[in-house]
């Protein structure tokens, strides 16, 4: 898998390069500032881009802006955005531009190597990967919405679905049967007025679209 990395912290940037190459991936370019990102992406057309939200020169949202622009100029480009903190508005904006091949993780997640690599590969394959803390923000910020009608177990299932996990993983995490997960998912879609969909990315995309576009409280 060919990867472009945009991260201004040299230590973290080199750590990511080492981590990805050790896992068998090829880092084709690195960027240390916002203006360097698009030229690298346009030149190399990677399988996935890993971009820090805040980059020089302004340290505001240069990486996010580059991610959104890249998705327009290179349709379908998988992008995994990294952030130091939960920036719910950034997550919503990223999801608003389309939810296929999108990831939003906190940087602390990189230390959990297997989780990070799994998320990266899921995004590169056109799937989704949302940090659990980001999902929690998206779920809890709404009042007087259909989400309030979900049972605690259904909310857990919805959160794991939004993170991009399949039925088997959700069942293992919650220590229940896949049949029970399927039933909970059916209830979630019914209560959220979402049409039934096949297992896999279509289901996840529907959930993310709901989370991204439901009005805030």
């Amino acid at each position: 898998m060919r990867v472009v990395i945009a991260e201004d912290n040299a230590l973290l940037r080199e750590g990511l390069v080492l981590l990805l190459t050790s896992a068998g991936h090829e880092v084709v370019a690195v960027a240390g500032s916002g203006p360097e990102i698009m030229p690298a992406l346009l030149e190399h057309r990677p399988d996935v881009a890993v971009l820090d939200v805040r980059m020089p020169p302004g340290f505001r949202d240069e990486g996010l802006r580059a991610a959104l622009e890249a998705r327009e100029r290179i349709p379908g480009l998988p992008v995994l955005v990294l952030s130091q903190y939960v920036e719910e508005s950034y997550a919503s904006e990223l999801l608003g531009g389309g939810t296929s091949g999108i990831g939003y993780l906190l940087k602390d997640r990189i230390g959990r190597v297997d989780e990070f690599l799994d998320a990266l590969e899921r995004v590169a394959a056109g799937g989704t990967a949302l940090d659990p803390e980001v999902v929690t923000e998206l779920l809890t910020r709404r009042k007087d919405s259909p989400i309030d009608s979900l049972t605690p177990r259904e909310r857990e299932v919805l959160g794991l679905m939004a993170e991009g996990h399949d039925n088997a993983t959700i069942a293992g995490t919650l220590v229940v049967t896949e049949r029970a997960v399927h039933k909970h998912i059916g209830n979630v879609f019914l209560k959220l007025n979402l049409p039934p969909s096949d297992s896999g990315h279509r289901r996840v995309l529907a959930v993310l679209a709901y989370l991204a576009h439901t009005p805030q409280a």
Side-chain angles (χ1 to χ4, degrees):
M1 187 163 63
R2 301 170 65 255
V3 186
V4 166
I5 297 172
E7 167 60 53
D8 65 288
N9 183 301
L11 184 60
L12 179 55
R13 185 171 64 243
E14 292 307 311
L16 282 169
V17 171
L18 179 61
L19 172 62
L20 293 176
T21 53
S22 297
H25 303 304
E26 179 186 5
V27 178
V28 295
V30 296
S33 68
E36 298 175 22
I37 298 175
M38 280 309 304
L41 293 176
L42 291 172
E43 177 182 353
H44 296 282
R45 306 277 171 148
D47 298 313
V48 61
V50 180
L51 311 178
D52 185 9
V53 167
R54 299 185 178 185
M55 297 281 290
F59 292 99
R60 299 183 66 181
D61 59 359
E62 289 81 357
L64 177 68
R65 294 292 147 219
L68 295 174
E69 182 182 353
R71 298 271 292 180
E72 290 183 0
R73 299 181 65 179
I74 310 175
L77 174 69
V79 174
L80 177 59
V81 172
L82 302 177
S83 180
Q84 189 69 42
Y85 310 102
V86 176
E87 300 278 6
E88 184 237 315
S89 61
Y90 290 168
S92 295
E93 187 167 0
L94 188 64
L95 293 173
T99 50
S100 178
I102 285 291
Y104 187 101
L105 296 182
L106 297 183
K107 288 186 178 181
D108 289 346
R109 201 68 52 186
I110 298 173
R112 304 175 188 180
V113 175
D114 290 340
E115 288 185 27
F116 173 71
L117 291 175
D118 176 68
L120 182 67
E121 291 168 6
R122 195 158 66 237
V123 169
T128 55
L130 284 188
D131 195 282
E133 291 189 36
V134 175
V135 173
T136 298
E137 284 288 326
L138 291 170
L139 287 174
T140 59
R141 70 188 173 94
R142 293 174 172 79
K143 304 298 180 184
D144 302 320
S145 79
I147 287 179
D148 296 331
S149 68
L150 301 182
T151 67
R153 178 62 85 187
E154 288 165 355
R155 289 174 67 90
E156 287 180 310
V157 170
L158 175 60
L160 290 168
M161 288 170 62
E163 289 171 30
H165 298 300
D166 58 21
N167 284 14
T169 301
I170 293 173
T173 301
L174 299 179
V175 195
V176 298
T177 65
E178 287 191 48
R179 183 176 180 180
V181 170
H182 181 76
K183 182 178 179 180
H184 288 311
I185 291 173
N187 290 337
V188 167
F189 273 87
L190 181 64
K191 292 180 179 179
L192 298 186
N193 297 315
L194 291 170
S197 62
D198 299 336
S199 60
H201 298 323
R202 285 180 58 197
R203 178 190 71 184
V204 177
L205 299 183
V207 174
L208 291 177
Y210 176 85
L211 294 175
H213 297 296
T214 300
Q216 299 184 28

